Amino acid sequence: MSENRLLLSPGHVLGSGIAGAIIWVVALFVLRDLTQENLVLVGASGVIGAIAAAIGALYQNYTARHTQEYLELAEHQAHHDALTGLLNRNALFSELESSLKRSKEDDTVLGVLFLDLDRFKVINDSMGHEAGDELLRIVAERLLGTVRGSDVVARFGGDEFVVVCRDLINEKSVLAVAKQILKAFEKPVSLYGGAMVVSTSIGVAIARPDDPRRSENLVRDADAAMYKAKRSRSGFAVFDEVQRLQVIDRLDIERDLVKALDEEQLIVYYQPLIDVRSKRLYGFEALVRWNHPTRGLIGPGQFLSVAEETGMMARIGEIVLREACAQAAVWNHLTTDARGVRMSVNIAEQQLLDGNFPYLVADILDWSGLPPEQLTLEITEDVIVEHLAGLSSLRQIRDLGVSLAIDDFGTGQSSLSYVKQFDMVSTIKIDKIFVDDMGGVNAAIIEAVVAMAKALDLKVVAEGVENDSQVRELLDFGVHIMQGYLFNKPVSADMIDPSSWFSPRDSSSDAPGLSSQEINRAFARTMEHARPARRG
Ligand code: C2E
Ligand code: MG
Ligand code: MG
């Protein structure tokens, strides 16, 4: 807190007294009444004036001090974290920016350490938020006690802290600080009577004087390195060249994706879903691809997470939905056999969160002329569970006549009993990880899913079927709708010839135990004969 300036000085008091007396003398002179008693009054008024001035000045001093205290408190709060008293995120960035400037001027090295406590969520959930808060305060103290006075310690948010080490001679000094912090965390923390060791993962980004990165880039890079440390359980990791290239690559993808949307570089591939029991094509899943001008055809794994982070997912989702519905409607037009075939489209979290999404679906169905019964929207189980509030949109979509499928079932958080609550879901897609290994616990899970699906009248689809023995095992479990490379990889629409793909296959043998080789051969034949078919 800065010094309090005293506004009451002797000159002040004397001046006010004299001013009071002069006013009286002038008043009496004007009234021509300069008697002795009145002159006594003049003296008294001088004294009263001085006292009034003193009181006024004291009051002024008091209010000024309090205003100043208030301003200083507000200033402190704006830059500090209320819980730990450390600098907050905003203050960190401005400190870091000026430190970077100084390190360039002084030709010194600067280190940014991004810390994230391990298992903090578990502690918070099991011991309560007060214990969590207390732990964060202890960690803050420990950090302050470990680093040098000239280093900056900030709480970045939640259980994340950032330490900025300034004026270092070389990179080794930064690593020494990281090791020192890890050592400080080895000492058990006493929390509500119990002692526990709380570990942390540290990501390090080092800026040499010629480093072009700004403060946000450095923190972002230290954060990325922290994830590397967490994954490898190595305590700390330094942001390196490989990661730098990954970040640049991501930024390139982000920049190119904006263009891709405008220039219609995104295309839709279709992978068939086969009903092995009836030997019929059950449907298609629409899967987005990017026809990148320099990278060639790239899969969703390389760009959908960037699209999600940058808010482009809703636009991409709409493009795919529109294209898939239009394509299915064209096939309907070309052959009546296509009318019993479904089109499944993946729906991302961002699309579902938009309250207008059901209207968009209705609009696209209307525009394309695709009957709603032919459309299935695939939503991963975590998205459904996390956004129960969005369920009203799911109901609205179901009421349009569109089906809903839980995608990648078994990889998320939901339990089987949970599914019963989603009365609007009509299909469960068992994830590839179960198909890859159908023994042990997985066998029990598949059995339970099939039993529940039967009871709730749900369809079960197995994803990622790659070989004959999987087909046999799945049929034994009672799963007969399958999707996987065994039948077909996803292909572009012009590879799908409606005259051969949609026509019913030879159903002379409709036994459930149909040989998968037979199915395989049938579809391989289909592929051999697949010739580019024009969309109508
Ligand atoms: P998904 O919805 O579970 O789709 C199935 C994925 O498994 C596809 O990968 C498909 O090519 C792959 N696959 C199918 N059969 C096999 C197999 O036998 N073996 C192996 N190894 N893989 C198989 P893809 O096309 O790379 O898509 C990956 C994920 O990206 C999709 O998983 C889906 O979650 C997402 N995705 C794709 N297109 C879209 C889209 O238009 N919108 C949204 N929101 N997500 C999409
Ligand atoms: Mg899917
Ligand atoms: Mg899936």
Side-chain angles (χ1 to χ4, degrees):
M1 180 137 310
S2 70
E3 51 122 18
N4 286 319
R5 200 157 49 89
L6 188 64
L7 297 176
L8 180 65
S9 67
H12 230 105
V13 176
L14 192 68
S16 305
I18 292 170
I22 289 173
I23 291 167
W24 262 106
V25 170
V26 171
L28 293 173
F29 188 77
V30 172
L31 296 170
R32 298 173 202 291
D33 201 6
L34 278 171
T35 59
Q36 201 178 359
E37 291 110 55
N38 283 343
L39 282 175
V40 172
L41 271 176
V42 168
S45 70
V47 173
I48 291 168
I51 292 170
I55 292 171
L58 279 172
Y59 178 70
Q60 196 186 349
N61 182 33
Y62 172 82
T63 51
R65 205 175 62 218
H66 277 260
T67 312
Q68 199 173 351
E69 270 173 14
Y70 172 77
L71 288 175
E72 280 173 6
L73 185 69
E75 167 92 359
H76 187 267
Q77 282 173 348
H79 293 102
H80 291 79
D81 166 51
L83 181 71
T84 59
L86 296 177
L87 288 185
N88 62 18
R89 187 189 278 243
N90 285 343
L92 165 75
F93 281 119
S94 60
E95 275 290 330
L96 186 52
E97 201 58 40
S98 53
S99 305
L100 269 174
K101 209 165 144 237
R102 221 175 63 204
S103 88
K104 285 187 197 334
E105 286 163 4
D106 302 347
D107 203 25
T108 53
V109 171
L110 180 143
V112 177
L113 280 63
F114 197 107
L115 281 84
D116 185 288
L117 302 186
D118 300 332
R119 298 184 311 119
F120 178 73
K121 199 176 171 318
V122 180
I123 296 168
N124 216 24
D125 289 349
S126 58
M127 297 183 68
H129 290 262
E130 274 178 32
D133 285 355
E134 182 57 20
L135 177 61
L136 293 173
R137 275 192 287 264
I138 295 172
V139 167
E141 271 169 36
R142 213 166 261 198
L143 283 175
L144 286 173
T146 310
V147 302
R148 300 172 309 167
S150 59
D151 295 337
V152 175
V153 182
R155 179 166 175 224
F156 198 68
D159 61 340
E160 296 167 338
F161 297 85
V162 171
V163 176
V164 179
C165 309
R166 313 188 261 204
D167 310 322
L168 301 173
I169 313 157
N170 57 35
E171 288 131 44
K172 277 196 194 134
S173 329
V174 184
L175 305 187
V177 178
K179 286 179 193 158
Q180 233 169 299
I181 293 175
L182 287 177
K183 189 142 191 61
F185 273 79
E186 283 171 9
K187 204 174 120 209
V189 174
S190 57
L191 206 59
Y192 294 134
M196 63 167 93
V197 174
V198 179
S199 60
T200 181
S201 299
I202 308 177
V204 183
I206 300 170
R208 292 164 203 95
D210 58 350
D211 200 304
R213 286 174 293 181
R214 302 286 306 261
S215 51
E216 308 87 53
N217 309 121
L218 273 173
V219 172
R220 180 202 62 203
D221 293 350
D223 187 9
M226 185 279 293
Y227 272 100
K228 198 168 110 185
K230 216 160 248 233
R231 274 198 307 273
S232 61
R233 296 172 191 267
S234 56
F236 79 94
V238 183
F239 185 79
D240 59 19
E241 189 60 13
V242 177
Q243 274 185 297
R244 195 178 69 81
L245 293 176
Q246 280 170 350
V247 169
I248 291 173
D249 198 53
R250 227 179 146 72
L251 291 174
D252 281 349
I253 292 271
E254 182 182 335
R255 187 201 54 214
D256 293 352
L257 198 52
V258 177
K259 230 166 123 204
L261 292 179
D262 294 337
E263 297 182 0
E264 300 184 2
Q265 293 168 7
L266 296 186
I267 49 174
V268 182
Y269 268 37
Y270 300 92
Q271 187 179 30
L273 278 70
I274 312 295
D275 186 338
V276 175
R277 202 166 55 186
S278 67
K279 292 191 263 174
R280 288 189 74 110
L281 176 68
Y282 177 82
F284 283 105
E285 175 168 8
L287 295 157
V288 70
R289 299 286 180 267
W290 179 1
N291 208 347
H292 192 281
T294 55
R295 295 170 192 245
L297 194 71
I298 58 178
Q302 285 182 61
F303 63 90
L304 283 193
S305 61
V306 177
E308 258 161 33
E309 274 170 31
T310 51
M312 283 187 264
M313 199 58 231
R315 265 185 81 195
I316 294 178
E318 181 179 343
I319 291 171
V320 176
L321 184 61
R322 217 171 258 286
E323 182 62 30
C325 289
Q327 184 60 63
V330 167
W331 283 329
N332 280 353
H333 208 67
L334 294 175
T335 164
T336 47
D337 290 332
R339 294 186 191 162
V341 171
R342 287 153 196 274
M343 178 58 78
S344 292
V345 182
N346 294 286
I347 299 302
E349 190 174 8
Q350 274 172 27
Q351 291 172 274
L352 206 59
L353 290 180
D354 178 0
N356 287 322
F357 184 62
Y359 301 104
L360 179 72
V361 176
D363 183 54
I364 290 178
L365 286 171
D366 195 42
W367 164 82
S368 63
L370 183 72
E373 310 77 62
Q374 270 183 270
L375 180 64
T376 300
L377 300 185
E378 294 190 5
I379 301 157
T380 57
E381 58 170 313
D382 275 349
V383 172
I384 295 192
V385 174
E386 271 169 39
H387 299 289
L388 287 172
L391 288 181
S392 67
S393 337
L394 293 184
R395 277 212 174 86
Q396 274 173 277
I397 293 166
R398 195 247 342 244
D399 292 345
L400 291 172
V402 173
S403 307
L404 295 166
I406 304 187
D407 202 357
D408 306 341
F409 190 80
T411 57
Q413 305 292 325
S414 74
S415 62
L416 277 178
S417 57
Y418 217 118
V419 176
K420 292 182 194 155
Q421 295 176 29
F422 308 135
D423 57 339
M424 56 282 197
V425 168
S426 65
T427 306
I428 293 179
K429 292 189 81 173
I430 301 180
D431 193 75
K432 183 175 184 305
I433 53 165
F434 293 96
V435 175
D436 284 344
D437 171 17
M438 285 185 269
V441 182
N442 284 1
I445 293 174
I446 298 175
E447 252 167 41
V449 170
V450 173
M452 184 192 64
K454 213 170 196 175
L456 298 174
D457 197 21
L458 304 176
K459 294 194 178 63
V460 180
V461 178
E463 298 186 281
V465 180
E466 289 180 343
N467 58 52
D468 290 344
S469 63
Q470 289 172 337
V471 173
R472 270 192 300 276
E473 279 185 82
L474 285 164
L475 285 170
D476 285 347
F477 279 116
V479 179
H480 52 92
I481 307 170
M482 303 180 199
Q483 175 182 358
Y485 290 174
L486 175 67
F487 308 104
N488 249 115
K489 285 196 168 180
V491 289
S492 60
D494 57 6
M495 292 297 289
I496 296 166
D497 176 8
S499 62
S500 55
W501 279 65
F502 295 95
S503 53
R505 307 201 182 285
D506 170 24
S507 54
S508 54
S509 132
D510 58 357
L514 174 82
S515 144
S516 52
Q517 277 157 346
E518 199 180 332
I519 296 160
N520 197 9
R521 275 199 301 275
F523 278 88
R525 269 202 308 280
T526 312
M527 284 309 294
E528 266 166 36
H529 298 136
R531 54 174 188 272
R534 267 181 302 125
R535 264 186 53 186

